[in-house]
Amino acid sequence: MDIEEEKMEPEDSETDEAPSWSPHPRDRLSAWASSSDYAGDEEDADISTDSLHDYEEPCNKKVKPIGKGAGHTGIIPQVKTPALKRLGQSIQRSISFRTEARPLPPAIRTRQKASSFPRRRSSQLWSDTVDCMTGGLSDREIKRQEIIHELTQGEKQLIEDLKLVKKVYYEPMLKLDILTESELGQIFGTLDSLIPLHEDCLSRLERLRGAEKTVEAVGPTLLQWFPCLEAYITYCCNQVAAKSLLDQKKQDRRVDQFLQLCQASTFSRKLDLWNFLDLPRSRLVKYPLLLKEIKKCTPKDHPDEDALPDAIDLIQTILSQVDRKTGEAECQFYRMSLNYPEDNQRVPEILRSNFIYCHGELKSTKGQKLYVFLFELVLVLTRPVVSDREGMAQFQVYRQPLPAAHLLLEDIPDGDAGSSGSFRGAFTGNDKVKNCFRVSSRGRSKAQSHSLQANDSFNKQQWISCLRQAMVQTRDSVALTSQSPRFSPNPDLCHIAELNLNSDVEMIGQ
């Protein structure tokens, strides 16, 4: 079957060197801890709990820079609202946290300056809280106590941050009528309900400390408490819609000024509001990491020997549930955001998809920016537009969606545009064709082809990897379904992630 190269209508040429959106692949929660970016001074890396501090706060999102306005003397833009200015001054005077730099995790290297990343508060080591080391504790036991202490301190700091968000973001924005109660409810979700949940955990952990400030067994306590974390399903499922609404509301100058004022204040530790709202999720993925480290330091015949593996299995099961439900919620959110110019574009594969492999911005042969979704069963190319009454982003479906079961994928090597076969004349204004691939359909009445360009080689490989995975799994599912009508997909495949694959991040050997 001959496949015709797409002919796209002319459009204003784009001069951006890198698209503002990058692909977001699967494995949302399971990849979170290994993908978060942290930066800081090297001397801070010498801590007894090794790299566990690296996973305390989400920093893989770029912090929006605070720009200087013309004629302004400081980095905080001038705010005309007197109540808002008084609020900022009050926040600056009453809230202050000590900060220290965060070391980079070993698996990720970034070319960004360390100063552009959020910083964490300094935390006291367990050994610093003990007056004298009595009882002849071994180095292994001391390390075990340090990790348990880190678990406890992490709960305490999370509680402080959640209360902080409520005090300096939610309540002022409601009182000053910056956002409506309904809008704030959508953005903050069930965040308020997580505070008593973690206060309960902190209380349980603190009761475990003996007279010598040591903890004998932590596994049974966590086994009893972990089921409470199912409350995270509701919170995490709301985050996609919450982030979308928050980004849309930032277009309001008054909202943006308030958020910049807070981010520039000392209490924020250079975190923006979304970083704070994402703290609970980053805390969730840290539990299995901490428990595995505790288990490594737990000797045989210890009271924790049997409980810790059960606790690890339980928290990983809960993470899988949260992950799967969050993936389904994200898929549903973007399905509802699609705008169909033609009825025949509403292919059944979109409705039947339960998760998204990846989504992000790519360029067409004319340099036109397209936002592409690789759903479980179909590839959908769209143009981002703002069309609904609330001003929320809508994605207008471009051409006909391509079912994954009928996809053909071609990796186009970097080279001369003039000697690239069907790429002759494509990507006008570029001397070289770089980071390109082609997707085309087969088995449908009207064949089509799309030549797409990623912003760098790393993102291109992520797209190709996700496309190949979708093609293989979809065809395998079709084959199994034809053999067994009762076949159902593995639920473990129905999970996604929000790992930002920026051009300045390189994955080092796993």
Side-chain angles (χ1 to χ4, degrees):
M1 179 182 295
D2 295 332
I3 300 177
E4 300 179 357
E5 186 69 17
E6 63 177 66
K7 295 181 180 180
M8 301 178 62
E9 51 268 35
E11 187 168 295
D12 295 338
S13 60
E14 299 287 345
T15 59
D16 298 346
E17 294 183 358
S20 58
W21 289 330
S22 299
H24 304 266
R26 298 168 57 202
D27 303 329
R28 175 186 299 274
L29 292 176
S30 58
W32 178 265
S34 62
S35 64
S36 300
D37 285 346
Y38 300 97
D41 301 327
E42 292 183 0
E43 63 263 26
D44 291 325
D46 186 16
I47 54 178
S48 64
T49 52
D50 299 321
S51 60
L52 291 178
H53 287 293
D54 294 348
Y55 308 104
E56 188 168 341
E57 293 169 354
C59 305
N60 63 326
K61 300 180 180 63
K62 296 181 180 178
V63 178
K64 185 176 180 181
I66 312 275
K68 273 189 179 181
H72 293 178
T73 58
I75 62 172
I76 304 177
Q78 183 178 359
V79 183
K80 296 182 179 181
T81 307
L84 201 54
K85 289 184 69 175
R86 289 195 300 271
L87 171 67
Q89 294 167 356
S90 174
I91 290 173
Q92 292 274 19
R93 288 194 301 267
S94 62
I95 303 177
S96 176
F97 289 111
R98 289 189 304 151
T99 62
E100 64 179 20
R102 178 183 301 282
L104 280 169
I108 293 182
R109 183 171 70 247
T110 171
R111 294 190 291 271
Q112 285 185 287
K113 294 181 179 179
S115 61
S116 66
F117 285 81
R119 293 170 178 261
R120 62 174 171 85
R121 294 166 296 190
S122 59
S123 52
Q124 193 177 32
L125 298 177
W126 172 79
S127 54
D128 295 334
T129 67
V130 182
D131 296 333
C132 58
M133 302 303 297
T134 59
L137 297 178
S138 65
D139 291 343
R140 187 179 183 185
E141 180 60 25
I142 292 175
K143 184 175 181 180
R144 183 175 182 275
Q145 293 298 325
E146 293 285 6
I147 302 170
I148 294 174
H149 179 72
E150 164 64 15
L151 173 66
T152 305
Q153 289 299 109
E155 291 298 303
K156 185 179 297 184
Q157 292 177 358
L158 178 62
I159 293 167
E160 291 174 356
D161 284 332
L162 296 183
K163 290 182 177 180
L164 179 74
V165 171
K166 182 179 179 181
K167 178 180 179 181
V168 302
Y169 283 101
Y170 184 95
E171 293 177 356
M173 284 195 286
L174 180 62
K175 184 177 181 180
L176 297 174
D177 199 26
I178 295 176
L179 291 174
T180 67
E181 186 174 1
S182 175
E183 290 167 342
L184 290 170
Q186 177 68 64
I187 292 172
F188 287 81
T190 58
L191 186 76
D192 197 35
S193 68
L194 302 182
I195 297 176
L197 186 152
H198 287 280
E199 285 178 334
D200 177 46
C201 179
L202 177 61
S203 176
R204 295 182 186 217
L205 291 174
E206 288 181 335
R207 288 198 299 266
L208 295 177
R209 301 191 72 178
E212 297 180 355
K213 297 186 178 181
T214 60
V215 175
E216 181 68 13
V218 72
T221 297
L222 294 177
L223 263 175
Q224 294 176 358
W225 181 76
F226 276 157
C228 300
L229 293 176
E230 291 181 358
Y232 270 76
I233 294 176
T234 302
Y235 181 77
C236 291
C237 285
N238 177 68
Q239 283 197 301
V240 179
K243 182 66 164 58
S244 178
L245 179 59
L246 179 61
D247 289 343
Q248 184 256 321
K249 289 300 177 181
K250 284 181 180 179
Q251 305 305 313
D252 186 316
R253 183 170 176 270
R254 194 161 178 250
V255 174
D256 187 56
Q257 285 182 334
F258 175 84
L259 296 178
Q260 288 195 43
L261 173 66
C262 291
Q263 186 177 330
S265 300
T266 55
F267 71 84
S268 72
R269 310 191 304 282
K270 298 184 180 180
L271 295 168
D272 63 15
L273 174 57
W274 184 251
N275 289 139
F276 278 108
L277 294 176
D278 222 19
L279 284 176
R281 189 178 63 168
S282 66
R283 180 63 183 172
L284 190 62
V285 298
K286 190 175 180 182
Y287 289 120
L289 300 174
L290 287 166
L291 264 63
K292 288 177 182 178
E293 291 299 316
I294 295 173
K295 185 175 180 294
K296 289 179 183 178
C297 301
T298 302
K300 294 182 179 180
D301 301 325
H302 190 279
D304 256 350
E305 184 181 12
D306 295 330
L308 281 175
D310 292 339
I312 293 172
D313 290 342
L314 177 57
I315 187 59
Q316 288 180 334
T317 299
I318 294 173
L319 283 176
S320 296
Q321 293 174 352
V322 175
D323 203 20
R324 184 170 62 254
K325 292 295 184 180
T326 304
E328 292 172 359
E330 181 176 24
C331 185
Q332 181 181 6
F333 175 82
Y334 285 118
R335 283 203 312 256
M336 295 176 63
S337 299
L338 296 179
N339 181 279
Y340 301 91
E342 302 176 12
D343 287 339
N344 64 353
Q345 293 175 327
R346 300 176 181 270
V347 297
E349 288 87 352
I350 296 178
L351 185 61
R352 294 188 349 236
S353 293
N354 291 318
F355 64 89
I356 301 178
Y357 282 99
C358 64
H359 57 92
E361 191 175 86
L362 296 169
K363 287 185 178 180
S364 69
T365 56
K366 299 298 183 182
Q368 178 190 26
K369 289 182 179 180
L370 299 174
Y371 201 85
V372 182
F373 297 93
L374 179 55
F375 290 94
E376 177 190 9
L377 303 174
V378 62
L379 180 70
V380 182
L381 282 70
T382 72
R383 292 168 172 159
V385 295
V386 178
S387 61
D388 70 354
R389 290 176 297 179
E390 301 296 329
M392 297 295 290
Q394 293 283 299
F395 300 90
Q396 186 181 72
V397 176
Y398 173 77
R399 299 292 179 88
Q400 193 70 13
L402 285 70
H406 304 295
L407 270 180
L408 293 174
L409 175 64
E410 180 184 355
D411 184 355
I412 301 174
D414 294 349
D416 247 67
S419 60
S420 299
S422 62
F423 256 78
R424 188 180 302 275
F427 300 103
T428 55
N430 294 336
D431 296 331
K432 299 287 185 179
V433 175
K434 293 182 178 180
N435 310 318
C436 300
F437 60 94
R438 182 183 292 111
V439 290
S440 53
S441 65
R442 64 175 186 176
R444 288 293 172 98
S445 57
K446 184 179 180 181
Q448 58 178 316
S449 174
H450 301 278
S451 299
L452 303 170
Q453 184 178 36
N455 65 315
D456 56 40
S457 59
F458 182 71
N459 284 339
K460 171 188 172 180
Q461 292 305 317
Q462 293 298 313
W463 275 105
I464 289 177
S465 176
C466 289
L467 284 163
R468 286 173 176 165
Q469 188 177 8
M471 292 163 61
V472 170
Q473 291 186 354
T474 303
R475 291 166 190 173
D476 287 348
S477 297
V478 170
L480 289 172
T481 302
S482 63
Q483 298 174 9
S484 174
R486 295 184 178 182
F487 169 78
S488 60
N490 186 343
D492 291 338
L493 298 177
C494 303
H495 60 278
I496 61 174
E498 197 171 12
L499 165 63
N500 287 326
L501 304 174
N502 298 312
S503 59
D504 57 353
V505 176
E506 301 174 17
M507 302 301 295
I508 302 176
Q510 298 290 322

